[in-house]
Amino acid sequence: MLRARLTLVAVIVTVAAILTTLVMAYRSVSPLVAAQVDRGLADRADVVLALLDSGAELPERPDMTEQLLLPDGTVKPLTPGRNPLPVNDLDREIARAGKGSNETDVDIGDTTYGVLTHGRAGGGAVMVGQNYDEVTRVDNEFLWSTASLTSIAVVAAALISWLAIGRILRPMRRLADATQRITTTRDLSTVLPDAGRDEVGELTRNFNSMLAALRVSRAQQQRLVEDASHELRTPLTSVRGSAELLQRARGRLGPEDEAKVLTTLVQEAKALDALVAELVELATDQHTAEPASEVSLAELAEECAQRFRRRTERTITVRPDDPATVTAGPHALARCVDNLLDNATKYSPADTDVELVIHRTRVSVRDHGPGIDPAAQRAVFDRFYRADRTRATPGSGLGLAIVHDIVTAHGGTVFAADNPGGGAEVGFELPAPG
């Protein structure tokens, strides 16, 4: 479980930080305590020497033992009722010389003492011993206190981490549940609430954007299938009817009637072939896989115009007006211009001219056909759209839809309007080069 693992990691990090702090604190405090004990012994020795010289009575301290070490090594207790402090050779040497000092730790019974031997002017030495029980007690209390605080901190860290990580992971659990639900039900209508402005919130928003794109894609696919089935039915019905007529006639049709039926079959088969090709292009988005390169719109327009001049024997005039060079897929843009020219030559009289105008990154094709109703100027880029006045003209209604998809994929826009000289003006505009 991710929440438990993250909590464990947080607790381990917290414990490591606390223990590091405590060790550093203990190592800092321990020398201070030892230095304080040393100063206490030295101060006590100075006090004892001063009182001995003045003949005043020595006040007792319950944690200390004092004794006088004579030059001959004899020990004279200064605190009656206390166990004498052990004397070593160095202590006796200090007593004989009457100068110098020696500090050591000794065990008397079960008690450890810190002992300071300090030489006395004129001979002898004062020995002061301090019971370490109090120091040990303070040290133990420090350790127990720090252990208690560490335990409380660990429990608090675990609880806070559990709650905080649970709050952080809650949006991620919603994401996981949503993906599981979508995987199981195939329902893309799920929309997650905004999870804030952090990384998880950004992930949630990206997930919602992905779902929205998938919903649009599914709707487009569904509409494409429905429209394609509708558009394919008409030529298929014509092909089937013509084939059945030939089958029933079995050679009894006259040459003229048979020629008409065969012509219908060929025309409808060509229409089906073109329709299927355009459907495949729309469904596979072939233009998105083409690498972008520098494309001169003026050169591209002239190449496309030359092809249509040879194909249709129409007068196609290219009018460059400060044309720009854009970064795009060259074959995709050529397909756009070809579709615009095909649309213009198809819906305008054969004896009229077609103009191909390029102004900066704007490409437009002007014809002298029936024009486009203002209410339909956006609809002409929809898939399978056919205006009432042009339904008798052969075509799939996909040419301008392909233009729309390609231009939109390149960040541009499409447009359709009336040609001031009569007819229609249809084209696109790409982003200006950076």
Side-chain angles (χ1 to χ4, degrees):
M1 183 179 178
L2 181 60
R3 184 179 185 182
R5 291 198 295 268
L6 291 177
T7 301
L8 179 60
V9 171
V11 170
I12 292 175
V13 172
T14 302
V15 170
I18 293 174
L19 290 179
T20 302
T21 303
L22 291 178
V23 169
M24 294 179 63
Y26 184 77
R27 294 183 62 179
S28 301
V29 171
S30 183
L32 295 177
V33 174
Q36 183 65 31
V37 171
D38 293 342
R39 283 195 298 271
L41 287 172
D43 293 343
R44 185 64 175 176
D46 292 339
V47 170
V48 171
L49 288 173
L51 292 177
L52 288 175
D53 292 340
S54 65
E57 182 177 357
L58 179 66
E60 294 186 9
R61 284 185 53 174
D63 60 333
M64 286 193 171
T65 299
E66 297 89 1
Q67 64 186 27
L68 182 61
L69 181 61
L70 300 178
D72 59 2
T74 303
V75 175
K76 179 181 179 182
L78 298 178
T79 50
R82 308 285 174 84
N83 293 324
L85 301 173
V87 179
N88 58 34
D89 293 339
L90 183 57
D91 296 333
R92 294 187 183 93
E93 184 178 343
I94 293 172
R96 283 194 297 271
K99 60 182 180 179
S101 62
N102 177 41
E103 187 173 347
T104 184
D105 292 338
V106 299
D107 293 328
I108 303 176
D110 296 332
T111 305
T112 300
Y113 284 80
V115 178
L116 173 64
T117 302
H118 195 284
R120 183 183 182 190
V126 170
M127 297 183 68
V128 179
Q130 182 172 4
N131 189 334
Y132 276 169
D133 285 347
E134 182 65 19
V135 177
T136 303
R137 184 188 65 80
V138 172
D139 189 62
N140 289 337
E141 287 183 355
F142 176 78
L143 292 177
W144 277 107
S145 298
T146 53
S148 300
L149 290 175
T150 300
S151 300
I152 295 173
V154 169
V155 173
L159 179 60
I160 294 173
S161 299
W162 181 265
L163 296 176
I165 292 173
R167 182 180 180 87
I168 294 173
L169 294 180
R170 192 176 300 119
M172 298 184 68
R173 285 199 301 270
R174 288 202 298 266
L175 281 176
D177 293 341
T179 55
Q180 180 64 34
R181 185 166 57 253
I182 292 171
T183 302
T184 304
T185 64
R186 307 293 181 180
D187 180 14
L188 299 179
S189 62
T190 302
V191 178
L192 295 176
D194 190 12
R197 299 183 178 180
D198 57 4
E199 289 80 1
V200 178
E202 183 178 358
L203 178 62
T204 302
R205 288 188 290 275
N206 290 339
F207 188 82
N208 279 330
S209 299
M210 180 189 69
L211 285 178
L214 288 174
R215 285 193 293 270
V216 172
S217 177
R218 174 179 285 184
Q220 290 176 341
Q221 290 177 1
Q222 183 67 26
R223 183 162 58 90
L224 179 61
V225 170
E226 293 174 353
D227 292 343
S229 64
H230 173 73
E231 294 296 324
L232 288 170
R233 188 174 293 113
T234 299
L236 283 175
T237 300
S238 179
V239 168
R240 180 178 177 179
S242 299
E244 289 177 346
L245 178 58
L246 288 176
Q247 184 183 40
R248 288 194 303 269
R250 294 184 181 275
R252 292 192 297 272
L253 288 176
E256 185 176 342
D257 293 334
E258 185 174 345
K260 289 181 179 179
V261 173
L262 291 175
T263 300
T264 301
L265 280 172
V266 172
Q267 290 177 344
E268 295 299 339
K270 289 181 178 179
L272 276 173
D273 183 65
L275 179 58
V276 169
E278 291 182 331
L279 284 173
V280 169
E281 182 171 353
L282 279 174
T284 56
D285 289 337
Q286 296 175 1
H287 54 272
T288 60
E290 182 184 12
S293 61
E294 296 293 322
V295 180
S296 170
L297 291 179
E299 295 178 2
L300 178 70
E302 185 59 41
E303 292 174 1
C304 295
Q306 285 287 3
R307 283 197 299 271
F308 271 82
R309 291 184 188 116
R310 292 192 298 268
R311 185 186 307 173
T312 64
E313 298 182 355
R314 295 283 290 267
T315 301
I316 300 177
T317 305
V318 179
R319 300 185 183 278
D321 179 15
D322 191 20
T325 298
V326 297
T327 302
H331 292 95
L333 286 190
R335 182 60 191 273
C336 288
V337 177
D338 284 348
N339 285 7
L340 292 177
L341 290 173
D342 182 66
N343 186 75
T345 57
K346 186 185 300 179
Y347 296 115
S348 61
D351 57 349
T352 59
D353 297 345
V354 173
E355 294 179 335
L356 180 53
V357 181
I358 306 98
H359 174 67
R360 299 299 297 158
T361 61
R362 179 185 173 96
V363 178
S364 61
V365 175
R366 300 171 181 173
D367 62 46
H368 298 278
I372 304 173
D373 291 335
Q377 289 178 357
R378 292 301 304 174
V380 294
F381 294 100
D382 293 341
R383 296 175 180 181
F384 300 107
Y385 177 81
R386 302 289 298 278
D388 293 337
R389 66 179 69 174
T390 61
R391 285 192 179 277
T393 305
S396 64
L398 292 175
L400 295 184
I402 293 175
V403 173
H404 173 271
D405 287 358
I406 294 176
V407 171
T408 302
H410 284 80
T413 57
V414 294
F415 60 86
D418 289 330
N419 181 8
E425 180 180 12
V426 185
F428 61 88
E429 185 170 2
L430 298 174

